[in-house]
Amino acid sequence: MTAPKLFANARLIDPLTGRDEQGGLLVHHGLIADLGPSVKADAAPDDTEIIDCQGRVLGPGLVDMRAFVGEPGAEHRETIATATQAAAAGGVTTLVCMPDTNPAIDDPAIVDFLLRRARDTGVVRILPAAALTRGLAGTEMTEVGLLKEAGAAAFTDGARSIRNAGIFRRILTYARDFDALVMHHTEDPDLVGSGVMNAGELSSRLGLPGRHTAAETIMLERDMRLVELTGCRYHAASVTCRASLDVIRRAKEMGLPVSCGATINHLSFNEGDIGDYRTFFKLSPPLRSEDDRQALVAAVAEGLIDVVVSDHNPQDVDQKRQPFAEAADGAIGVETMLIAGLRLVHAEMLSLAGLFAAMSARPSRRLGLAGGKLAKGAPADLVELDLGAPWVLDPAQLKSRSKNTPFDGARLQGRVTRTMVGGSIVHEASSA
Amino acid sequence: MIASSAPTFPHRHLLGIEGLKASDILGLLDLAEEAVTVSRQVEKKRSVLRGRTQINLFFEASTRTQSSFEIAGKRLGADVMNMAVSSSSIKKGETLLDTAATLNAMRPDLIVVRHHAAGAVHLLARKVDCSVINAGDGEHEHPTQALLDALTIRRNKGRIEGLVVAICGDVLHSRVARSNILLLQTLGARVRVVAPSTLLPAGIDRFGVEVHRNMREGLKDADIVMMLRLQRERMKGAFVPSVKEYFRYFGLDAEKLSWAKSDALVMHPGPMNRGVEIDSEVADSAQSLIREQVEMGVAVRMAVLEALARHLPNG
């Protein structure tokens, strides 16, 4: 067994307890053994490895509930190895990977395969989300019980919505018996049509077919009724507009077992960033208006939006260097989500604890995990963060195999200096 | 043409009307007037583009626009090559940027591009060394069409400023409408759009145009009635219920035209769907400028080619 590790001289941030104080954190056997102002190097056991955090932030590692990895089937875009290295560099210690793979994660054997690949090649924890329907076709339900037993953390058809309300009702009814968490991309495919960006003045000026926010809100409304009917635990994967927040608020007030997420992209950008047909800003759901963006940020601060996700979606150059309407959707984000979130903290729109709540504590709780907190006995999944360091993002420096980041050239402030999973250091910045 | 006194066109490409100043547009129109004169002579050949290579790269078939650019280039002395890409490379899986790189290696001086995707011409322009002219990109822009429309209007009305121009029909899918709205507003016209709501783009009320849903209101006091083409696949229930109903409410016939000013002129970018958006009687009447638009098309494209050629190395 490895020797105990002491992270000394850290600013400990725990969103659950509201802890924000200078102190130390002792790790033993992969778990947090002790923490607080009195935990100091001189009182540690003799064989303890001392790591001086130099006053930097030490918080719970991030739990990203929505990442597309590419394995199996699209290893040219991303593998578990590269995705988890990127995650580690971004302070993400648990990655929930989406089932939009080839083959889709719709069979217990594939869940098993992924967990073994993750064990052998990954550097952070991987939790596969299994498909809701076979082959993500939106028609036949998957083996919810067997998949959950195999290790599926949640159920989703990834970037696809289940169009047929009757089918979705039956899936929710069945999934409830297994206490499964259903995560749904809520965009009515018929209303989306051929739309490739937010519908409005800008899409009309660019001559691009638009996607109305109503496509999202209508399906979300439908889902809330179905959750009311079935009682299934439900998570709206990515809400993007003010109107959807009203729907979520009402559902929560009714006491429905619902939660929702927002992507770091929708908190950071608006439709105007598409500018001259920049395909790195082509996302699904699309970037919305500035008013919607601000509403989302406020909702994260308030806790109405439970979690913030990377929506990490690696796309190779060929898929992005296309006319806008023909380019693939998605952006990488697992490595930049925390630092991008810090922008909101620096802008005083969100507290540091609020950021960790949305990126670590709440997703962890929603998935029923032991992490996401700084507490005795919790897994030592940690991120050390230098809040001050300003830098300019160079995509070539990112670990992800694909480089489709909308933060290309962005000025950022703050750096992940160390990431620990189960007490082992899986990332260490050269300057740390 | 002889070197004009018009100010130099300050852009390397013509990708859209957006971003052009009134002086840029007027400069092109003045240059086009000279081209009209040249085109009406027996000896039409000039040498402004002698030694230059012009490639017409059409990812979408278009007989009229392509031949208009071809004639324009040839009248200025360029070597013009037509490439219909839909029939060759795309079928073999070549991407737009591969095509661009291939063509670029052939060292053309001017590339005229039509593509079915909005923004495709911008993307291509970033990857080649020569001047690029947008001959229509998806539902985005068609700048030379707007320029030729402006030239036609100016020659018949003597001005553009202060005129009431009603753009009628499928505004939603029309790059012609977008470019025309931008250009006519820049030159001070009052622009209206007239269409059923299913054929109006989102946020049209923020384009600075008057929006009308019926022809009687929309055509009142109009100096120019500009009809847009309604594509066949959009006529049968998807956007409007039927040709019959569309023509009844939005097709331009003599009666509806009488709601406009008595000296109103009728335009259409072509090709026309007679009996759908426009009645033959109107299309062929003395109030129609439709054939003149075609003539002005060649002149405007000569002007654009010449203006851009001035920026070419050793130009």
Side-chain angles (χ1 to χ4, degrees):
Chain A
M1 200 61 229
T2 53
K5 275 197 192 80
L6 176 71
F7 294 90
N9 190 22
R11 178 183 165 194
L12 303 170
I13 299 271
D14 180 42
L16 275 188
T17 57
R19 182 196 291 272
D20 183 351
E21 61 185 3
Q22 294 295 321
L25 184 144
L26 185 68
V27 173
H28 201 34
H29 300 307
L31 303 175
I32 298 175
D34 200 4
L35 77 162
S38 58
V39 179
K40 290 192 172 125
D42 43 9
D46 286 347
D47 59 342
T48 305
E49 183 190 344
I50 312 281
I51 293 151
D52 183 2
C53 296
Q54 299 173 28
R56 294 184 191 123
V57 166
L58 191 66
L62 271 49
V63 177
D64 182 5
M65 279 177 75
R66 190 172 175 83
F68 297 83
V69 168
E71 200 169 339
E75 288 82 357
H76 63 290
R77 290 196 267 143
E78 192 85 290
T79 60
I80 286 174
T82 57
T84 56
Q85 281 157 20
V92 176
T93 51
T94 301
L95 209 55
V96 178
C97 60
M98 294 294 105
D100 315 29
T101 46
N102 186 16
I105 310 176
D106 61 358
D107 187 284
I110 301 170
V111 173
D112 189 58
F113 163 79
L114 269 165
L115 289 171
R116 276 185 288 115
R117 285 290 289 169
R119 183 196 63 201
D120 296 343
T121 67
V123 299
V124 307
R125 301 179 202 272
I126 287 268
L127 297 177
L132 271 173
T133 63
R134 284 209 177 88
L136 307 167
T139 49
E140 300 161 34
M141 70 171 90
T142 51
E143 296 164 328
V144 174
L146 294 175
L147 284 162
K148 203 171 174 219
E149 240 178 79
F155 293 82
T156 178
D157 270 3
R160 299 187 205 189
S161 300
I162 295 178
R163 185 187 234 130
N164 186 314
I167 289 169
F168 196 49
R169 181 188 71 82
R170 227 174 295 117
I171 291 171
L172 290 174
T173 306
Y174 186 81
R176 188 198 172 281
D177 292 348
F178 291 90
D179 196 30
L181 176 65
V182 169
M183 307 196 293
H184 200 211
H185 175 102
T186 50
E187 273 196 301
D188 183 307
D190 298 314
L191 283 171
V192 166
S194 59
V196 295
M197 70 173 286
N198 188 39
E201 182 191 354
L202 209 58
S203 67
S204 294
R205 286 194 184 277
L206 289 171
L208 293 170
R211 266 150 99 158
H212 287 275
T213 53
E216 172 179 312
T217 310
I218 286 172
M219 184 160 273
L220 197 60
E221 296 258 24
R222 179 200 82 172
D223 284 5
M224 293 304 106
R225 298 290 171 186
L226 295 175
V227 170
E228 192 184 356
L229 199 65
T230 60
C232 187
R233 293 201 298 135
Y234 174 96
H235 177 79
S238 160
V239 295
T240 65
C241 62
R242 194 180 278 281
S244 291
L245 296 174
D246 295 339
V247 177
I248 294 290
R249 189 184 301 280
R250 248 178 290 133
K252 286 188 170 180
E253 281 168 3
M254 286 169 70
L256 299 181
V258 300
S259 57
C260 69
T263 83
I264 188 64
N265 300 317
H266 291 88
L267 297 172
S268 305
F269 305 110
N270 65 35
E271 58 183 345
D273 286 296
I274 289 168
D276 223 357
Y277 302 98
R278 295 160 74 190
T279 57
F280 281 12
F281 293 88
K282 184 173 186 236
L283 307 172
S284 177
L287 291 169
R288 303 294 188 188
S289 69
E290 177 59 12
D291 174 65
D292 287 320
R293 186 189 76 85
Q294 290 187 9
L296 294 179
V297 174
V300 171
E302 184 197 335
L304 179 64
I305 291 176
D306 302 81
V307 308
V308 171
V309 297
S310 70
D311 199 25
H312 184 76
N313 192 349
Q315 297 290 350
D316 57 40
V317 168
D318 294 343
Q319 300 303 316
K320 281 292 188 183
R321 278 195 196 150
Q322 299 276 352
F324 194 87
E326 291 162 21
D329 297 322
I332 57 169
V334 74
E335 194 169 342
T336 45
M337 67 185 292
L338 180 54
I339 302 306
L342 276 182
R343 278 180 157 185
L344 302 172
V345 174
H346 292 310
E348 296 180 349
M349 300 167 91
L350 191 62
S351 68
L352 190 56
L355 185 64
F356 274 104
M359 290 189 171
S360 178
R362 288 196 296 252
S364 184
R365 191 170 54 194
R366 192 60 173 150
L367 293 165
L369 308 177
K373 58 190 169 195
L374 298 190
K376 281 186 198 176
D381 292 359
L382 304 164
V383 54
E384 184 201 76
L385 194 58
D386 177 350
L387 292 179
W391 56 297
V392 175
L393 188 129
D394 172 11
Q397 302 298 317
L398 296 177
K399 312 269 187 206
S400 193
R401 183 163 283 185
S402 298
K403 307 296 180 193
N404 53 311
T405 172
F407 291 95
D408 186 348
R411 287 159 201 282
L412 300 165
Q413 189 185 345
R415 271 207 122 122
V416 173
T417 44
R418 280 192 189 91
T419 304
M420 279 65 66
V421 174
S424 304
I425 296 175
V426 295
H427 166 75
E428 192 157 18
S430 47
S431 58
Chain B
M1 279 168 272
I2 306 143
S4 163
S5 57
T8 315
F9 187 70
H11 303 276
R12 185 158 78 101
H13 308 296
L14 180 69
L15 302 180
I17 299 298
E18 196 184 4
L20 297 189
K21 294 198 189 82
S23 57
D24 303 337
I25 296 166
L26 292 171
L28 289 174
L29 296 184
D30 293 344
L31 205 50
E33 291 283 4
E34 296 173 30
V36 175
T37 313
V38 169
S39 295
R40 287 182 177 177
Q41 295 167 1
V42 176
E43 172 55 57
K44 300 179 177 66
K45 197 94 172 173
R46 288 292 174 272
S47 58
V48 184
L49 295 185
R50 193 169 62 196
R52 300 293 187 188
T53 304
Q54 171 190 338
I55 297 180
N56 294 337
L57 180 61
F58 278 61
F59 292 86
E60 220 180 46
S62 160
T63 312
R64 47 202 303 144
T65 306
Q66 183 172 321
S67 39
S68 183
F69 270 109
E70 182 175 356
I71 291 169
K74 284 180 172 167
R75 281 192 187 158
L76 295 176
D79 295 314
V80 184
M81 194 196 75
N82 290 314
M83 267 189 79
V85 188
S86 53
S87 58
S88 61
S89 317
I90 292 294
K91 283 187 183 153
K92 296 174 195 157
E94 190 174 79
T95 68
L96 173 63
L97 291 185
D98 288 338
T99 308
T102 305
L103 288 183
N104 197 46
M106 298 177 191
R107 301 196 167 275
D109 300 289
L110 296 144
I111 300 186
V112 178
V113 189
R114 168 165 291 189
H115 197 278
H116 51 81
V121 183
H122 295 65
L123 182 64
L124 190 137
R126 282 200 286 269
K127 303 291 172 186
V128 297
D129 304 316
C130 62
S131 286
V132 174
I133 298 169
N134 183 357
D137 64 324
E139 292 160 8
H140 179 227
E141 281 228 46
H142 190 357
T144 58
Q145 178 71 42
L147 287 164
L148 77 87
D149 288 342
L151 181 65
T152 310
I153 294 170
R154 196 175 75 168
R155 285 172 64 92
N156 284 276
K157 291 287 185 187
R159 67 192 165 108
I160 286 172
E161 195 175 350
L163 293 180
V164 176
V165 182
I167 302 176
C168 310
D170 188 0
V171 179
L172 175 63
H173 299 101
S174 177
R175 52 191 172 215
V176 175
R178 277 172 185 69
S179 290
N180 261 310
I181 289 169
L182 292 167
L183 187 150
L184 292 166
Q185 283 179 335
T186 304
L187 295 189
R190 272 177 62 194
V191 183
R192 293 178 185 166
V193 293
V194 192
S197 293
T198 45
L199 294 177
L200 287 171
I204 185 70
D205 49 315
R206 301 184 62 172
F207 277 60
V209 297
E210 292 172 38
V211 182
H212 294 278
R213 273 90 177 177
N214 79 65
M215 292 286 270
R216 188 183 285 272
E217 284 174 17
L219 296 194
K220 189 172 186 299
D221 299 328
D223 297 288
I224 300 289
V225 181
M226 194 180 279
M227 300 308 297
L228 299 172
R229 178 180 166 79
L230 181 67
Q231 286 195 7
R232 201 153 288 278
E233 66 268 21
R234 298 181 178 131
M235 296 174 196
K236 293 172 192 155
F239 290 87
V240 295
S242 68
V243 171
K244 189 176 162 192
E245 176 151 327
Y246 186 73
F247 185 73
R248 169 78 172 75
Y249 294 108
F250 293 95
L252 188 69
D253 54 17
E255 191 201 347
K256 293 196 191 77
L257 184 56
S258 73
W259 301 335
K261 274 191 187 158
S262 57
D263 62 348
L265 296 171
V266 176
M267 302 175 75
H268 191 297
M272 283 183 282
N273 284 309
R274 291 169 183 266
V276 178
E277 70 264 356
I278 192 162
D279 191 59
S280 279
E281 189 193 347
V282 173
D284 304 329
S285 74
Q287 280 173 281
S288 168
L289 299 176
I290 295 169
R291 268 190 293 273
E292 188 174 337
Q293 283 174 275
V294 179
E295 183 188 356
M296 294 308 124
V298 175
V300 147
R301 283 157 189 142
M302 288 169 73
V304 169
L305 290 168
E306 184 182 347
L308 293 180
R310 288 178 183 171
H311 295 289
L312 294 173
N314 309 317

